[in-house]
Amino acid sequence: MELTSDALVNSLLALGAAALLATLWLWPRLARQRPLPVLGRVALLTVTQISVLAVLALSVNNSFGFYTSWDDLLEPGGARLALAGSENHHGTPVSDALVQPTDEGGLEGVTDLPKGPPEEVGKVESVRITGRETGLSDQLFVYLPPEYFDPKLATVRFPVLLTISGFPGTTLHLVKDLPVPQAAWELRKAGKMAPAIIVMARPTVAPPRDTECVDVPGGPRTESWFAKDVPEALRETYRVSRSASSWGVLGFSTGGSCAMRLAMRFPEVFGSGTGMHGDFKVAEDQFTGGSLFGGDKALADQSDLAWRLQNLPAPNLSLLVISTRKETDYPETVKFVELAQQVAAANPQFKVESLYLDDGGHNFDSWVRELPAALEWMSARLAWT
């Protein structure tokens, strides 16, 4: 059973209930103060408590997404073995590929994905990507639009939208709590979104640490993973465009911070970016383990988006900043947008727009309401080349 499966939680609940009933039934029979009855009482209490604690731990993990699989828990960042005998979309043996099919992620529990054959509604694949540059490995979802399976478009390369969830959180949040492929499909049917390959990822590949999508000196190179490894792996596996104008990145919360930072630091990879309720500086708290840059101010400045706008050439980039007027960091967001618009006025290759809801906080209710506009905006900027 998968680490995040309901079956595992239910099995442990059943075990705990059985252990409790067994304790109530056998306790009078184990009342003697002899070694065997004492060991029996200890064993019953141990099984009961371990079952309860395991259920609590699994429930917390499933809610916050620290670990998505047994491999993730036992060997964070470790690559999984390929499925022998299968091939990827380019016909490359999976054992030699950077992208490998996997049953991780909990996709089987999502019931509202579009129903029908791939050539009519598209397909969501669960894959594990292993990075050639960093050696990091993580599970992602890839949505392939129905046009991808059209024989008439067999030679066409598709634009790519990388989407990143918040922290703590799993890739599943981008299918279940923030229904990205479902929303994209509805927009596609309404003629408001062009076909695109949508890649869904979480912001850290080194759980449970929040690496904020940066290269940690002496630690996980999460930024290189997103900016180099993931694009390289996707280009080797799927029919995707190689032009930055055809690649965009979108995220919410920590993923929103990552999306804006990746777009501004790597405009040669991502031609557009959208940050939903993201920060403009790298956080330093108990989840990041303190400073992610080891106290190196120069490194920290490079990831400070306001500092970049004030001290570096404006990137060739389209940026959308989304938040609400009730969000706690709304004043900071407005300040950044105003600075970005001043820079954009003097640098036509850099474009910035903003979208603010009148109400809503840092939660899925707000992000779900903002998602259609964000996807439609991104789609308008993903070029077909």
Side-chain angles (χ1 to χ4, degrees), residues 179-201:
V180 173
Q182 298 94 317
W185 172 239
E186 293 300 323
L187 289 171
R188 181 76 188 99
K189 290 192 297 182
K192 297 180 179 180
M193 185 172 181
I197 292 176
I198 302 176
V199 181
M200 292 154 272

Side-chain angles (χ1 to χ4, degrees), residues 104-274:
E104 299 174 80
L107 194 60
E108 70 283 351
V110 181
T111 59
D112 63 342
L113 288 172
K115 302 294 191 298
E119 60 272 17
E120 294 182 6
V121 300
K123 179 184 179 182
V124 178
E125 298 185 339
S126 179
V127 300
R128 174 163 283 268
I129 290 182
T130 300
R132 183 174 286 136
E133 170 82 13
T134 67
L136 294 171
S137 177
D138 205 15
Q139 180 269 332
L140 300 86
F141 294 131
V142 177
Y143 170 69
L144 303 172
E147 291 81 2
Y148 190 87
F149 302 95
D150 187 342
K152 297 178 181 178
L153 302 176
T155 60
V156 172
R157 293 186 175 272
F158 286 74
V160 178
L161 175 59
L162 171 63
T163 60
I164 308 176
S165 69
F167 179 91
T170 66
T171 312
L172 193 62
H173 280 165
L174 292 164
V175 181
K176 196 171 184 179
D177 301 286
L178 187 69
V180 173
Q182 298 94 317
W185 172 239
E186 293 300 323
L187 289 171
R188 181 76 188 99
K189 290 192 297 182
K192 297 180 179 180
M193 185 172 181
I197 292 176
I198 302 176
V199 181
M200 292 154 272
R202 59 178 176 172
T204 183
V205 289
R209 189 180 188 187
D210 177 14
T211 55
E212 290 282 319
C213 301
V214 304
D215 282 357
V216 181
R221 298 173 58 201
T222 317
E223 183 179 68
S224 295
W225 156 261
F226 279 115
K228 298 178 182 179
D229 284 340
V230 171
E232 178 187 28
L234 293 173
R235 289 177 182 126
E236 287 193 9
T237 308
Y238 300 98
R239 300 195 317 274
V240 300
S241 174
R242 298 179 180 276
S243 170
S245 62
S246 301
W247 282 68
V249 54
L250 174 153
F252 68 88
S253 190
T254 299
S257 307
C258 292
M260 292 186 290
R261 194 175 305 117
L262 287 167
M264 287 191 64
R265 283 179 56 79
F266 298 93
E268 73 280 4
V269 178
F270 304 103
S272 57
T274 294

Side-chain angles (χ1 to χ4, degrees), residues 14-29:
L15 176 61
L20 178 60
L21 292 174
T23 301
L24 295 174
W25 183 59
L26 293 173
W27 197 266
R29 294 166 174 78

